[in-house]
Amino acid sequence: MYIIATMITTRQQIKIELIKKNTSGFEIARKMGVTRAAIYLTIYGKRKSPRLRKAIADAIGVEVSDLWPTNGHGHKTVK
């Protein structure tokens, strides 16, 4: 018997948690007054906005550092 370990990416983890919380990137964007694209760029790691990262983490009930252990500059995020 072989066990295959799979790693889940941050964006997959966020997607799963958004579904569990019955919300979406669109809802977060609406509440934050930004475009849906801004939220998804943050989720995909293309944008490193601390404000949007916090909004995403808050929406799924975790700490920012649980999703993004570094601040985008290689430094650990302070809780």
Side-chain angles (χ1 to χ4, degrees), residues 6-61:
T6 59
M7 295 201 48
I8 188 166
T9 65
T10 298
R11 71 178 172 204
Q12 290 169 328
Q13 179 183 357
I14 293 169
K15 184 176 180 179
I16 290 165
E17 294 303 320
L18 287 173
I19 291 167
K20 285 181 185 177
K21 299 289 183 179
N22 197 31
T23 192
S24 67
F26 174 77
E27 285 299 316
I28 298 169
R30 187 183 58 75
K31 290 177 185 174
M32 296 301 295
V34 298
T35 64
R36 183 174 54 187
I39 297 298
Y40 286 104
L41 287 172
T42 304
I43 290 171
Y44 280 74
K46 305 290 185 192
R47 176 178 266 178
K48 293 175 176 52
S49 167
R51 182 175 81 100
L52 296 183
R53 283 182 171 188
K54 176 144 179 43
I56 294 163
D58 287 350
I60 62 174

